[in-house]
Amino acid sequence: MSATLVSPRTFVSETPTWCPGCGDFGVLRALQNAAAKLGLQPHEICIVSGIGCSGKINSYFNAYGLHTLHGRSLPVAQGVKLANPNLTVIASGGDGDGYGIGAGHFMHAVRRNVDMTYIVMDNQVYGLTKGQTSPTSPTGFESHTTPHGSAEGPVRPLRVALANGCSWVAQGFSADMKQLVDLIIQAIQHKGFSLLNVQSPCVTWRETIVEDGQKVGVYEWWKKHLHKLDEDPGYNPTDRGMAFSKLLEYDDIVSGLIYAEDRPSYREYLKGYTDRPMADMAEILDTPTLEDLVGQFK
Ligand code: SF4
Ligand code: MG
């Protein structure tokens, strides 16, 4: 396929059915902008998503896509990347999908360091299934599943990622387009596993806590409270200890690049691993070889 000029519109597909004002619109637009700025073609990208409102993003982005099972985007995405290292592989989903149902996969993907990007649209609620308390819901969050307020503290995905050796960690905000596009570009260019957690407000279900007269977790609240690390003089995103300190200091309410480390990706550890996509390896996929392989399992 010959290369053609791309623009954000190149990656526009179906019209999203998200609620008007949903933060996921910002993530989709940022991803389309980032892909265009990187000069990628639709056939060079594969978006693998889980289940949830945010999991529909690959239907709205013009590229290869796989809509997988709940919480299973990461194992599938890693398989896609290992089978075809030439693809830019992006796994995506929400906080319930990634940090609840798929939590086990999350920490292992982090330490495995396959060269791919994981974008989590974190709205602290199960949106698609009508507003249940999610793994990142704050203490006190009221919903059908916690009518008296959640008694549990939230999962801290940024800290989990740092603790398990994630080689690139950042947090964006769906209403800060400039920063989000920049973070997605960095995440894709990073050679290893990149976690980009995006604060992506749910405008339908996420407003049960009021603090100082203001609803927590809505756009205005994030705008007011997010501490931008990229405007923090002296912040060093190659210092893991400093990254932990800032997360503790600001209760994870930060945005920007949190941590980046240059270390070999999973592929670089594997002896004899080839960059050639499996689909191009005619010598192992020719009919007699395949028949022989299949025959061994009869
Ligand atoms: Fe977005 Fe919430 Fe609507 Fe789902 S329910 S589309 S997360 S605003
Ligand atoms: Mg959610």
Side-chain angles (χ1 to χ4, degrees):
M1 200 179 290
S2 62
T4 50
L5 279 177
V6 291
S7 76
R9 287 206 60 77
T10 307
F11 302 99
V12 172
S13 180
E14 298 172 23
T15 303
T17 56
W18 291 319
C19 309
C22 176
D24 297 353
F25 281 100
V27 179
L28 174 63
R29 190 149 70 87
L31 190 55
Q32 289 162 336
N33 275 288
K37 284 192 174 201
L38 287 167
L40 291 166
Q41 303 286 332
H43 71 278
E44 295 173 319
I45 303 170
C46 183
I47 301 185
V48 182
S49 67
I51 300 299
C53 296
S54 51
K56 294 190 275 185
I57 196 167
N58 64 359
S59 299
Y60 310 144
F61 188 97
N62 180 32
Y64 290 125
L66 279 164
H67 203 158
T68 67
L69 301 176
H70 211 348
R72 309 297 173 229
S73 65
L74 285 175
V76 175
Q78 290 169 92
V80 170
K81 184 65 184 182
L82 293 176
N84 188 348
N86 295 342
L87 282 172
T88 292
V89 176
I90 298 164
S92 64
D95 43 294
D97 187 74
Y99 305 143
I101 287 113
H105 297 304
F106 173 55
M107 67 183 81
H108 295 295
V110 156
R111 70 189 181 90
R112 195 168 291 128
N113 204 32
V114 171
D115 183 15
M116 55 169 282
T117 297
Y118 186 30
I119 300 176
V120 180
M121 285 153 264
D122 185 358
N123 54 15
Q124 300 93 43
V125 71
Y126 281 99
L128 185 70
T129 46
K130 300 196 184 299
Q132 295 88 350
T133 299
S134 90
T136 54
S137 299
T139 307
F141 183 73
E142 292 175 19
S143 75
H144 300 308
T145 49
T146 55
H148 303 295
S150 173
E152 299 165 324
V155 165
R156 306 286 187 161
L158 302 170
R159 300 183 202 180
V160 170
L162 278 176
N164 284 279
C166 195
S167 60
W168 194 96
V169 184
Q171 181 156 262
F173 174 41
S174 55
D176 189 339
M177 187 56 51
K178 186 173 177 302
Q179 183 193 56
L180 191 53
V181 171
D182 182 51
L183 288 173
I184 293 173
I185 289 172
Q186 287 185 55
I188 290 174
Q189 288 178 327
H190 175 72
K191 293 290 169 227
F193 186 90
S194 317
L195 170 68
L196 176 55
N197 195 66
V198 183
Q199 294 301 336
S200 182
C202 171
V203 295
T204 302
W205 302 109
R206 171 66 179 94
E207 296 177 358
T208 71
I209 296 179
V210 175
E211 221 175 61
D212 301 329
Q214 191 180 22
K215 289 173 179 171
V216 174
V218 299
Y219 285 101
E220 295 70 27
W221 187 88
W222 286 110
K223 269 182 205 156
K224 183 173 170 192
H225 290 87
L226 273 172
H227 175 75
K228 291 184 84 166
L229 291 174
D230 38 20
E231 293 175 4
D232 183 341
Y235 184 68
N236 177 3
T238 65
D239 183 334
R240 194 187 296 266
M242 189 181 284
F244 269 114
S245 297
K246 285 289 176 186
L247 292 179
L248 292 170
E249 182 181 352
Y250 290 96
D251 200 23
D252 297 13
I253 305 167
V254 300
S255 68
L257 176 61
I258 297 166
Y259 182 70
E261 175 189 347
D262 186 15
R263 68 180 171 89
S265 68
Y266 184 74
R267 180 185 67 77
E268 289 166 308
Y269 275 115
L270 296 180
K271 286 192 174 63
Y273 186 87
T274 173
D275 275 345
R276 291 171 63 199
M278 284 174 72
D280 287 352
M281 291 191 234
E283 71 274 17
I284 65 163
L285 291 173
D286 61 69
T287 307
T289 310
L290 267 180
E291 283 176 354
D292 181 46
L293 273 173
V294 173
Q296 293 177 32
F297 293 95
K298 280 184 176 168

